[in-house]
Amino acid sequence: GNSVTQMEGPVTLSEEAFLTINCTYTATGYPSLFWYVQYPGEGLQLLLKATKADDKGSNKGFEATYRKETTSFHLEKGSVQVSDSAVYFCALSEGGTYKYIFGTGTRLKVLA
Amino acid sequence: DVKVTQSSRYLVKRTGEKVFLECVQDMDHENMFWYRQDPGLGLRLIYFSYDVKMKEKGDIPEGYSVSREKKERFSLILESASTNQTSMYLCASSSSSGSLYEQYFGPGTRLTVT
């Protein structure tokens, strides 16, 4: 079946460091791909999305490119801030259905 | 802005109690979901509903039931709470129009069963 695999955390970085959080997926068909972020004590909120191969989603300085050839959707940010400390979830939407499949989440801690 | 609210942020219940978790959304969304979130396991789908009175089992429905009598409200019921149901419960909703079915989440209910 379809699945999403994320790198295990926690990831600890200094402020202004470069961030990459890896995400790969297994899916039949053409899923849509998402990154959600969960700040401490809150629910998940959509960070960015991509619907087809080579699409790049971007928001708040974060970017991810839908790579069909490597079945990946890695999250990147050029310069992280303390306020980016959160848990990040990669997810896919099975084509034509309402259901999402989530990765296990990667906790990011940014130190001042 | 879409708003999804959950009835409690924190809840402590005893083993064997019947527990109701309520979720309300204000965007007229057709689809609603209940997940549980556990460390190292991510989000797992318990049940979802694509219309009033309609429901489908997710990946881990055992020990849970749901109710959707009105479009805006989706309830999760633990018929007889057990300690292994201690978890964070997240509700979400999405629209059936368009193609992305973007999900909007509530703040979560942290349930402890003692």
Side-chain angles (χ1 to χ4, degrees), chain B residues 24-49:
Chain B
V24 177
Q25 51 94 5
D26 67 357
M27 278 300 291
D28 203 36
H29 282 170
E30 293 81 7
N31 310 312
M32 296 188 75
F33 307 82
W34 275 107
Y35 296 89
R36 65 177 280 176
Q37 180 182 5
D38 299 289
L41 297 176
L43 273 70
R44 293 179 291 167
L45 182 64
I46 304 171
Y47 268 97
F48 71 101
S49 168

CSV table of all heavy atoms in Angstrom, one decimal, chain B residues 24-49:
chain,number,residue,atom,x,y,z
B,24,VAL,N,-16.0,20.4,16.1
B,24,VAL,CA,-16.9,21.2,15.3
B,24,VAL,C,-16.1,22.1,14.3
B,24,VAL,O,-15.1,22.6,14.6
B,24,VAL,CB,-17.7,22.2,16.2
B,24,VAL,CG1,-18.6,23.1,15.4
B,24,VAL,CG2,-18.6,21.4,17.2
B,25,GLN,N,-16.6,22.1,13.0
B,25,GLN,CA,-16.0,22.9,12.0
B,25,GLN,C,-17.0,23.9,11.5
B,25,GLN,O,-18.2,23.6,11.4
B,25,GLN,CB,-15.3,22.1,10.9
B,25,GLN,CG,-16.2,21.0,10.3
B,25,GLN,CD,-17.0,21.5,9.1
B,25,GLN,OE1,-16.8,22.5,8.5
B,25,GLN,NE2,-17.8,20.6,8.6
B,26,ASP,N,-16.5,25.1,11.0
B,26,ASP,CA,-17.4,26.2,10.6
B,26,ASP,C,-17.3,26.5,9.1
B,26,ASP,O,-17.7,27.6,8.7
B,26,ASP,CB,-17.1,27.4,11.5
B,26,ASP,CG,-15.7,28.0,11.2
B,26,ASP,OD1,-15.0,27.5,10.4
B,26,ASP,OD2,-15.4,29.1,11.8
B,27,MET,N,-16.7,25.6,8.3
B,27,MET,CA,-16.5,25.9,6.9
B,27,MET,C,-17.4,25.1,6.0
B,27,MET,O,-17.2,25.0,4.8
B,27,MET,CB,-15.1,25.6,6.5
B,27,MET,CG,-14.2,26.8,6.9
B,27,MET,SD,-14.7,28.3,6.1
B,27,MET,CE,-14.3,28.0,4.3
B,28,ASP,N,-18.4,24.4,6.6
B,28,ASP,CA,-19.4,23.6,5.8
B,28,ASP,C,-18.7,22.5,5.0
B,28,ASP,O,-19.1,22.2,3.9
B,28,ASP,CB,-20.1,24.6,4.8
B,28,ASP,CG,-21.4,24.0,4.3
B,28,ASP,OD1,-22.1,23.3,5.1
B,28,ASP,OD2,-21.8,24.2,3.1
B,29,HIS,N,-17.6,22.0,5.6
B,29,HIS,CA,-16.9,20.9,4.9
B,29,HIS,C,-17.7,19.6,5.0
B,29,HIS,O,-18.3,19.3,6.0
B,29,HIS,CB,-15.5,20.7,5.6
B,29,HIS,CG,-14.5,21.7,5.2
B,29,HIS,ND1,-13.3,21.9,5.9
B,29,HIS,CD2,-14.5,22.7,4.3
B,29,HIS,CE1,-12.6,22.8,5.3
B,29,HIS,NE2,-13.3,23.3,4.3
B,30,GLU,N,-17.5,18.8,3.9
B,30,GLU,CA,-18.2,17.5,3.8
B,30,GLU,C,-17.5,16.5,4.6
B,30,GLU,O,-18.1,15.6,5.2
B,30,GLU,CB,-18.4,17.1,2.4
B,30,GLU,CG,-19.3,17.9,1.5
B,30,GLU,CD,-18.6,19.2,1.0
B,30,GLU,OE1,-17.3,19.3,1.2
B,30,GLU,OE2,-19.3,20.0,0.4
B,31,ASN,N,-16.2,16.5,4.6
B,31,ASN,CA,-15.4,15.4,5.2
B,31,ASN,C,-14.8,15.8,6.6
B,31,ASN,O,-14.4,16.9,6.8
B,31,ASN,CB,-14.2,15.1,4.3
B,31,ASN,CG,-14.6,15.0,2.8
B,31,ASN,OD1,-15.5,14.2,2.5
B,31,ASN,ND2,-13.9,15.6,1.9
B,32,MET,N,-14.9,14.9,7.5
B,32,MET,CA,-14.3,15.1,8.8
B,32,MET,C,-13.6,13.8,9.2
B,32,MET,O,-13.9,12.7,8.8
B,32,MET,CB,-15.3,15.5,9.8
B,32,MET,CG,-16.0,16.8,9.5
B,32,MET,SD,-17.1,17.4,10.8
B,32,MET,CE,-15.9,18.0,12.0
B,33,PHE,N,-12.5,14.0,10.0
B,33,PHE,CA,-11.6,12.9,10.3
B,33,PHE,C,-11.2,12.9,11.8
B,33,PHE,O,-11.1,14.0,12.4
B,33,PHE,CB,-10.3,13.1,9.5
B,33,PHE,CG,-10.4,13.2,8.1
B,33,PHE,CD1,-10.8,14.5,7.5
B,33,PHE,CD2,-10.3,12.2,7.2
B,33,PHE,CE1,-10.9,14.6,6.1
B,33,PHE,CE2,-10.4,12.3,5.8
B,33,PHE,CZ,-10.8,13.5,5.3
B,34,TRP,N,-11.0,11.7,12.3
B,34,TRP,CA,-10.4,11.6,13.7
B,34,TRP,C,-9.1,10.8,13.5
B,34,TRP,O,-9.1,9.7,13.0
B,34,TRP,CB,-11.3,10.9,14.7
B,34,TRP,CG,-12.3,11.8,15.3
B,34,TRP,CD1,-13.6,11.9,15.1
B,34,TRP,CD2,-12.0,12.8,16.3
B,34,TRP,NE1,-14.2,12.8,15.9
B,34,TRP,CE2,-13.2,13.4,16.7
B,34,TRP,CE3,-10.9,13.2,17.0
B,34,TRP,CZ2,-13.3,14.4,17.7
B,34,TRP,CZ3,-10.9,14.1,18.0
B,34,TRP,CH2,-12.2,14.8,18.3
B,35,TYR,N,-8.0,11.4,14.1
B,35,TYR,CA,-6.7,10.8,14.2
B,35,TYR,C,-6.3,10.7,15.6
B,35,TYR,O,-6.7,11.4,16.4
B,35,TYR,CB,-5.6,11.6,13.5
B,35,TYR,CG,-5.8,11.8,12.0
B,35,TYR,CD1,-6.5,12.9,11.5
B,35,TYR,CD2,-5.2,11.0,11.1
B,35,TYR,CE1,-6.7,13.1,10.1
B,35,TYR,CE2,-5.3,11.2,9.7
B,35,TYR,CZ,-6.0,12.3,9.2
B,35,TYR,OH,-6.2,12.5,7.9
B,36,ARG,N,-5.4,9.7,15.8
B,36,ARG,CA,-4.6,9.8,17.1
B,36,ARG,C,-3.2,9.9,16.8
B,36,ARG,O,-2.7,9.4,15.7
B,36,ARG,CB,-4.9,8.6,18.0
B,36,ARG,CG,-4.5,7.2,17.6
B,36,ARG,CD,-4.8,6.2,18.6
B,36,ARG,NE,-3.7,6.1,19.7
B,36,ARG,CZ,-3.8,5.4,20.7
B,36,ARG,NH1,-4.8,4.5,20.9
B,36,ARG,NH2,-2.8,5.4,21.6
B,37,GLN,N,-2.5,10.7,17.6
B,37,GLN,CA,-1.1,11.0,17.4
B,37,GLN,C,-0.2,10.4,18.5
B,37,GLN,O,-0.5,10.8,19.7
B,37,GLN,CB,-0.8,12.5,17.3
B,37,GLN,CG,0.6,12.9,17.0
B,37,GLN,CD,0.8,14.4,17.0
B,37,GLN,OE1,-0.1,15.2,17.2
B,37,GLN,NE2,2.0,14.8,16.6
B,38,ASP,N,0.7,9.6,18.2
B,38,ASP,CA,1.6,9.0,19.2
B,38,ASP,C,3.0,9.1,18.8
B,38,ASP,O,3.3,9.0,17.6
B,38,ASP,CB,1.2,7.5,19.4
B,38,ASP,CG,-0.2,7.3,19.9
B,38,ASP,OD1,-0.5,7.6,21.1
B,38,ASP,OD2,-1.0,6.8,19.1
B,39,PRO,N,3.9,9.3,19.8
B,39,PRO,CA,5.3,9.5,19.4
B,39,PRO,C,5.9,8.3,18.6
B,39,PRO,O,5.6,7.2,19.0
B,39,PRO,CB,6.0,9.6,20.8
B,39,PRO,CG,4.9,10.1,21.7
B,39,PRO,CD,3.7,9.5,21.2
B,40,GLY,N,6.6,8.6,17.6
B,40,GLY,CA,7.2,7.6,16.8
B,40,GLY,C,6.2,6.9,15.8
B,40,GLY,O,6.6,6.1,14.9
B,41,LEU,N,4.9,7.2,15.9
B,41,LEU,CA,3.9,6.5,15.1
B,41,LEU,C,3.2,7.6,14.2
B,41,LEU,O,2.5,7.2,13.2
B,41,LEU,CB,2.9,5.8,15.9
B,41,LEU,CG,3.4,4.6,16.7
B,41,LEU,CD1,2.3,4.1,17.6
B,41,LEU,CD2,4.0,3.6,15.8
B,42,GLY,N,3.4,8.8,14.4
B,42,GLY,CA,2.8,9.8,13.6
B,42,GLY,C,1.3,9.9,13.8
B,42,GLY,O,0.8,9.6,14.9
B,43,LEU,N,0.6,10.2,12.8
B,43,LEU,CA,-0.9,10.3,12.8
B,43,LEU,C,-1.5,9.0,12.2
B,43,LEU,O,-1.1,8.7,11.1
B,43,LEU,CB,-1.4,11.5,12.0
B,43,LEU,CG,-1.5,12.8,12.8
B,43,LEU,CD1,-0.1,13.4,13.0
B,43,LEU,CD2,-2.3,13.8,11.9
B,44,ARG,N,-2.4,8.5,12.9
B,44,ARG,CA,-3.1,7.3,12.4
B,44,ARG,C,-4.6,7.6,12.4
B,44,ARG,O,-5.2,8.1,13.4
B,44,ARG,CB,-2.8,6.1,13.3
B,44,ARG,CG,-1.3,5.6,13.2
B,44,ARG,CD,-1.1,4.4,14.1
B,44,ARG,NE,-1.2,4.8,15.5
B,44,ARG,CZ,-1.2,3.9,16.5
B,44,ARG,NH1,-1.2,2.6,16.2
B,44,ARG,NH2,-1.3,4.3,17.8
B,45,LEU,N,-5.2,7.2,11.3
B,45,LEU,CA,-6.6,7.5,11.1
B,45,LEU,C,-7.5,6.5,11.8
B,45,LEU,O,-7.3,5.3,11.6
B,45,LEU,CB,-6.9,7.5,9.6
B,45,LEU,CG,-8.3,7.9,9.2
B,45,LEU,CD1,-8.7,9.3,9.5
B,45,LEU,CD2,-8.5,7.7,7.7
B,46,ILE,N,-8.4,7.1,12.6
B,46,ILE,CA,-9.3,6.2,13.3
B,46,ILE,C,-10.6,6.0,12.5
B,46,ILE,O,-11.0,4.8,12.3
B,46,ILE,CB,-9.6,6.8,14.7
B,46,ILE,CG1,-8.4,7.1,15.5
B,46,ILE,CG2,-10.6,5.9,15.5
B,46,ILE,CD1,-8.6,7.9,16.8
B,47,TYR,N,-11.3,7.1,12.2
B,47,TYR,CA,-12.5,7.0,11.4
B,47,TYR,C,-12.6,8.3,10.6
B,47,TYR,O,-12.0,9.3,10.9
B,47,TYR,CB,-13.7,7.0,12.3
B,47,TYR,CG,-14.3,5.7,12.7
B,47,TYR,CD1,-13.9,5.1,13.9
B,47,TYR,CD2,-15.2,5.0,11.9
B,47,TYR,CE1,-14.5,3.9,14.3
B,47,TYR,CE2,-15.7,3.8,12.2
B,47,TYR,CZ,-15.3,3.2,13.4
B,47,TYR,OH,-15.8,2.0,13.8
B,48,PHE,N,-13.3,8.2,9.5
B,48,PHE,CA,-13.6,9.5,8.8
B,48,PHE,C,-15.1,9.4,8.3
B,48,PHE,O,-15.7,8.3,8.2
B,48,PHE,CB,-12.6,9.8,7.7
B,48,PHE,CG,-12.7,8.9,6.5
B,48,PHE,CD1,-13.3,9.3,5.3
B,48,PHE,CD2,-12.1,7.7,6.5
B,48,PHE,CE1,-13.4,8.5,4.2
B,48,PHE,CE2,-12.1,6.9,5.4
B,48,PHE,CZ,-12.7,7.3,4.2
B,49,SER,N,-15.6,10.6,8.0
B,49,SER,CA,-17.0,10.7,7.6
B,49,SER,C,-17.0,11.6,6.4
B,49,SER,O,-16.4,12.7,6.4
B,49,SER,CB,-17.8,11.3,8.7
B,49,SER,OG,-19.1,11.7,8.2
